[in-house]
CSV table of all heavy atoms in Angstrom, one decimal:
chain,number,residue,atom,x,y,z
A,13,ASN,N,86.7,38.9,-24.9
A,13,ASN,CA,85.9,39.6,-24.1
A,13,ASN,C,84.6,40.0,-25.0
A,13,ASN,O,84.9,40.9,-25.8
A,13,ASN,CB,86.5,40.8,-23.3
A,13,ASN,CG,85.4,41.5,-22.4
A,13,ASN,OD1,84.2,41.1,-22.3
A,13,ASN,ND2,85.9,42.5,-21.9
A,14,PRO,N,83.5,39.5,-24.8
A,14,PRO,CA,82.4,39.9,-25.8
A,14,PRO,C,81.9,41.3,-25.5
A,14,PRO,O,81.2,41.8,-26.4
A,14,PRO,CB,81.3,38.9,-25.2
A,14,PRO,CG,81.6,38.4,-23.9
A,14,PRO,CD,83.0,38.5,-23.9
A,15,LYS,N,82.3,41.9,-24.3
A,15,LYS,CA,81.8,43.4,-24.2
A,15,LYS,C,82.7,44.4,-24.9
A,15,LYS,O,82.5,45.5,-24.9
A,15,LYS,CB,81.8,43.6,-22.8
A,15,LYS,CG,80.7,42.8,-22.0
A,15,LYS,CD,80.5,43.3,-20.5
A,15,LYS,CE,79.5,42.5,-19.9
A,15,LYS,NZ,79.4,42.8,-18.4
A,16,THR,N,83.9,43.9,-25.3
A,16,THR,CA,84.9,44.7,-26.1
A,16,THR,C,84.2,45.2,-27.4
A,16,THR,O,83.8,44.4,-28.3
A,16,THR,CB,86.2,44.1,-26.4
A,16,THR,OG1,86.8,43.6,-25.1
A,16,THR,CG2,87.2,45.0,-27.0
A,17,ALA,N,84.3,46.4,-27.8
A,17,ALA,CA,83.8,47.0,-29.0
A,17,ALA,C,85.0,47.6,-29.7
A,17,ALA,O,85.7,48.5,-29.2
A,17,ALA,CB,82.7,48.1,-28.8
A,18,TYR,N,85.1,47.2,-30.9
A,18,TYR,CA,86.2,47.8,-31.8
A,18,TYR,C,85.6,47.7,-33.2
A,18,TYR,O,84.9,46.9,-33.6
A,18,TYR,CB,87.6,47.0,-31.7
A,18,TYR,CG,87.5,45.7,-31.9
A,18,TYR,CD1,87.5,45.0,-33.2
A,18,TYR,CD2,87.4,44.7,-30.8
A,18,TYR,CE1,87.5,43.7,-33.3
A,18,TYR,CE2,87.3,43.4,-30.9
A,18,TYR,CZ,87.3,42.8,-32.1
A,18,TYR,OH,87.3,41.5,-32.3
A,19,GLY,N,86.0,48.8,-33.9
A,19,GLY,CA,85.4,49.0,-35.4
A,19,GLY,C,84.1,49.8,-35.3
A,19,GLY,O,83.6,50.0,-34.2
A,20,ASN,N,83.7,50.0,-36.5
A,20,ASN,CA,82.5,50.9,-36.6
A,20,ASN,C,81.4,49.9,-36.8
A,20,ASN,O,81.2,49.2,-37.8
A,20,ASN,CB,82.6,51.8,-38.0
A,20,ASN,CG,81.5,52.7,-38.0
A,20,ASN,OD1,80.5,52.4,-37.5
A,20,ASN,ND2,81.7,53.7,-38.8
A,21,LYS,N,80.5,49.8,-35.7
A,21,LYS,CA,79.4,48.8,-35.7
A,21,LYS,C,78.4,49.2,-36.8
A,21,LYS,O,77.9,48.2,-37.5
A,21,LYS,CB,78.6,49.0,-34.3
A,21,LYS,CG,79.5,48.6,-33.2
A,21,LYS,CD,78.7,48.7,-31.8
A,21,LYS,CE,79.7,48.7,-30.7
A,21,LYS,NZ,79.0,49.2,-29.6
A,22,LYS,N,78.0,50.4,-37.1
A,22,LYS,CA,77.0,50.6,-38.0
A,22,LYS,C,77.5,50.4,-39.4
A,22,LYS,O,76.8,49.8,-40.3
A,22,LYS,CB,76.6,52.2,-38.0
A,22,LYS,CG,75.8,52.6,-36.9
A,22,LYS,CD,75.3,53.9,-36.9
A,22,LYS,CE,74.5,54.3,-35.7
A,22,LYS,NZ,74.0,55.7,-35.7
A,23,ALA,N,78.8,50.7,-39.7
A,23,ALA,CA,79.4,50.4,-41.1
A,23,ALA,C,79.4,48.9,-41.2
A,23,ALA,O,79.3,48.4,-42.3
A,23,ALA,CB,80.7,51.1,-41.2
A,24,SER,N,79.9,48.2,-40.2
A,24,SER,CA,79.9,46.7,-40.4
A,24,SER,C,78.6,46.0,-40.5
A,24,SER,O,78.5,45.2,-41.5
A,24,SER,CB,80.5,46.1,-39.1
A,24,SER,OG,81.8,46.6,-38.9
A,25,THR,N,77.5,46.5,-40.0
A,25,THR,CA,76.3,46.0,-40.0
A,25,THR,C,75.8,46.4,-41.5
A,25,THR,O,75.1,45.5,-42.2
A,25,THR,CB,75.2,46.6,-39.1
A,25,THR,OG1,75.8,46.3,-37.8
A,25,THR,CG2,73.9,46.1,-39.3
A,26,ARG,N,76.0,47.7,-41.9
A,26,ARG,CA,75.5,48.1,-43.3
A,26,ARG,C,76.3,47.2,-44.4
A,26,ARG,O,75.6,46.7,-45.3
A,26,ARG,CB,75.9,49.5,-43.5
A,26,ARG,CG,75.4,50.0,-44.8
A,26,ARG,CD,75.7,51.6,-45.0
A,26,ARG,NE,77.0,51.9,-44.7
A,26,ARG,CZ,77.3,52.7,-43.7
A,26,ARG,NH1,76.4,53.0,-42.7
A,26,ARG,NH2,78.6,53.1,-43.4
A,27,HIS,N,77.6,47.0,-44.1
A,27,HIS,CA,78.3,46.1,-45.1
A,27,HIS,C,77.6,44.6,-45.0
A,27,HIS,O,77.5,44.0,-46.2
A,27,HIS,CB,79.7,46.0,-44.7
A,27,HIS,CG,80.6,45.0,-45.5
A,27,HIS,ND1,81.0,45.3,-46.7
A,27,HIS,CD2,81.1,43.8,-45.1
A,27,HIS,CE1,81.7,44.3,-47.0
A,27,HIS,NE2,81.8,43.3,-46.1
A,28,PHE,N,77.4,44.0,-43.9
A,28,PHE,CA,76.8,42.7,-43.9
A,28,PHE,C,75.5,42.6,-44.6
A,28,PHE,O,75.3,41.8,-45.4
A,28,PHE,CB,76.6,42.4,-42.4
A,28,PHE,CG,76.0,41.0,-42.3
A,28,PHE,CD1,76.9,39.9,-42.2
A,28,PHE,CD2,74.7,40.8,-42.0
A,28,PHE,CE1,76.3,38.7,-42.0
A,28,PHE,CE2,74.2,39.6,-41.9
A,28,PHE,CZ,75.0,38.5,-41.8
A,29,ILE,N,74.6,43.6,-44.3
A,29,ILE,CA,73.3,43.6,-44.9
A,29,ILE,C,73.5,43.8,-46.4
A,29,ILE,O,72.8,43.1,-47.3
A,29,ILE,CB,72.4,44.6,-44.3
A,29,ILE,CG1,72.1,44.2,-42.9
A,29,ILE,CG2,71.2,44.9,-45.1
A,29,ILE,CD1,71.3,45.3,-42.1
A,30,THR,N,74.3,44.7,-46.8
A,30,THR,CA,74.5,45.0,-48.3
A,30,THR,C,75.0,43.8,-49.0
A,30,THR,O,74.6,43.5,-50.2
A,30,THR,CB,75.5,46.2,-48.5
A,30,THR,OG1,75.0,47.4,-47.8
A,30,THR,CG2,75.7,46.4,-50.0
A,31,GLN,N,76.0,43.2,-48.5
A,31,GLN,CA,76.4,42.0,-49.1
A,31,GLN,C,75.5,40.8,-49.3
A,31,GLN,O,75.4,40.3,-50.3
A,31,GLN,CB,77.8,41.5,-48.2
A,31,GLN,CG,78.5,40.3,-48.9
A,31,GLN,CD,79.4,40.8,-50.0
A,31,GLN,OE1,79.4,42.0,-50.4
A,31,GLN,NE2,80.1,40.0,-50.7
A,32,ARG,N,74.7,40.7,-48.2
A,32,ARG,CA,73.7,39.6,-48.4
A,32,ARG,C,72.6,40.0,-49.3
A,32,ARG,O,72.1,39.1,-50.1
A,32,ARG,CB,73.1,39.3,-47.0
A,32,ARG,CG,74.0,38.6,-45.9
A,32,ARG,CD,75.1,37.9,-46.5
A,32,ARG,NE,75.9,37.2,-45.4
A,32,ARG,CZ,77.1,37.7,-45.2
A,32,ARG,NH1,77.6,38.8,-45.6
A,32,ARG,NH2,77.9,37.1,-44.2
A,33,LEU,N,72.1,41.3,-49.3
A,33,LEU,CA,71.1,41.7,-50.2
A,33,LEU,C,71.5,41.7,-51.6
A,33,LEU,O,70.7,41.3,-52.5
A,33,LEU,CB,70.7,43.2,-49.7
A,33,LEU,CG,69.4,43.7,-50.4
A,33,LEU,CD1,68.2,42.8,-50.0
A,33,LEU,CD2,69.1,45.1,-49.9
A,34,THR,N,72.8,42.2,-51.9
A,34,THR,CA,73.1,42.1,-53.4
A,34,THR,C,73.3,40.7,-53.8
A,34,THR,O,73.1,40.4,-55.0
A,34,THR,CB,74.4,42.9,-53.5
A,34,THR,OG1,75.5,42.5,-52.6
A,34,THR,CG2,74.1,44.5,-53.2
A,35,GLY,N,73.8,39.9,-52.9
A,35,GLY,CA,74.0,38.5,-53.2
A,35,GLY,C,72.7,37.9,-53.6
A,35,GLY,O,72.5,37.1,-54.5
A,36,ALA,N,71.6,38.1,-52.8
A,36,ALA,CA,70.3,37.7,-53.1
A,36,ALA,C,69.7,38.2,-54.5
A,36,ALA,O,69.1,37.5,-55.3
A,36,ALA,CB,69.3,38.0,-51.9
A,37,ILE,N,69.8,39.5,-54.6
A,37,ILE,CA,69.5,40.1,-55.9
A,37,ILE,C,70.2,39.5,-57.1
A,37,ILE,O,69.6,39.1,-58.2
A,37,ILE,CB,69.7,41.6,-55.9
A,37,ILE,CG1,68.7,42.1,-54.7
A,37,ILE,CG2,69.3,42.2,-57.3
A,37,ILE,CD1,68.8,43.6,-54.5
A,38,ASN,N,71.5,39.2,-56.9
A,38,ASN,CA,72.3,38.5,-58.0
A,38,ASN,C,71.6,37.2,-58.4
A,38,ASN,O,71.6,36.9,-59.6
A,38,ASN,CB,73.7,38.4,-57.6
A,38,ASN,CG,74.4,39.8,-57.6
A,38,ASN,OD1,74.0,40.7,-58.3
A,38,ASN,ND2,75.5,39.7,-57.0
A,39,ILE,N,71.3,36.5,-57.4
A,39,ILE,CA,70.7,35.1,-57.6
A,39,ILE,C,69.3,35.2,-58.3
A,39,ILE,O,69.1,34.5,-59.4
A,39,ILE,CB,70.4,34.5,-56.3
A,39,ILE,CG1,71.8,34.0,-55.7
A,39,ILE,CG2,69.6,33.2,-56.5
A,39,ILE,CD1,71.8,33.5,-54.3
A,40,ALA,N,68.5,36.2,-58.0
A,40,ALA,CA,67.3,36.6,-58.6
A,40,ALA,C,67.4,37.0,-60.1
A,40,ALA,O,66.7,36.5,-61.0
A,40,ALA,CB,66.5,37.7,-58.0
A,41,PHE,N,68.5,37.7,-60.4
A,41,PHE,CA,68.7,38.2,-61.8
A,41,PHE,C,69.4,37.0,-62.6
A,41,PHE,O,69.5,37.2,-63.8
A,41,PHE,CB,69.7,39.4,-61.7
A,41,PHE,CG,68.9,40.7,-61.7
A,41,PHE,CD1,69.0,41.5,-60.6
A,41,PHE,CD2,68.3,41.1,-62.8
A,41,PHE,CE1,68.4,42.7,-60.5
A,41,PHE,CE2,67.7,42.3,-62.7
A,41,PHE,CZ,67.6,43.1,-61.7
A,42,LEU,N,69.9,35.9,-62.0
A,42,LEU,CA,70.5,34.9,-62.7
A,42,LEU,C,69.7,34.3,-63.7
A,42,LEU,O,70.1,34.0,-64.9
A,42,LEU,CB,71.0,33.8,-61.7
A,42,LEU,CG,71.7,32.7,-62.2
A,42,LEU,CD1,73.0,33.2,-62.8
A,42,LEU,CD2,71.9,31.6,-61.1
A,43,VAL,N,68.4,34.3,-63.5
A,43,VAL,CA,67.5,33.7,-64.5
A,43,VAL,C,67.4,34.6,-65.8
A,43,VAL,O,67.6,34.1,-67.0
A,43,VAL,CB,65.9,33.7,-64.0
A,43,VAL,CG1,64.9,33.2,-65.1
A,43,VAL,CG2,66.0,32.7,-62.8
A,44,LEU,N,67.4,35.9,-65.6
A,44,LEU,CA,67.5,36.8,-66.8
A,44,LEU,C,68.9,36.6,-67.5
A,44,LEU,O,69.0,36.6,-68.7
A,44,LEU,CB,67.3,38.3,-66.3
A,44,LEU,CG,67.4,39.4,-67.4
A,44,LEU,CD1,66.4,39.2,-68.5
A,44,LEU,CD2,67.5,40.7,-66.8
A,45,LEU,N,70.0,36.5,-66.7
A,45,LEU,CA,71.2,36.5,-67.2
A,45,LEU,C,71.3,35.2,-68.1
A,45,LEU,O,72.0,35.1,-69.2
A,45,LEU,CB,72.3,36.6,-66.3
A,45,LEU,CG,73.7,36.7,-66.8
A,45,LEU,CD1,74.0,37.8,-67.6
A,45,LEU,CD2,74.6,36.6,-65.5
Side-chain angles (χ1 to χ4, degrees):
N13 182 0
K15 293 184 180 181
T16 303
Y18 49 87
N20 187 338
K21 295 175 197 170
K22 287 184 181 181
S24 296
T25 302
R26 182 174 53 248
H27 172 75
F28 179 85
I29 290 171
T30 303
Q31 189 72 359
R32 292 340 180 250
L33 191 60
T34 56
I37 293 170
N38 287 341
I39 291 171
F41 270 109
L42 185 64
V43 174
L44 174 66
L45 190 60

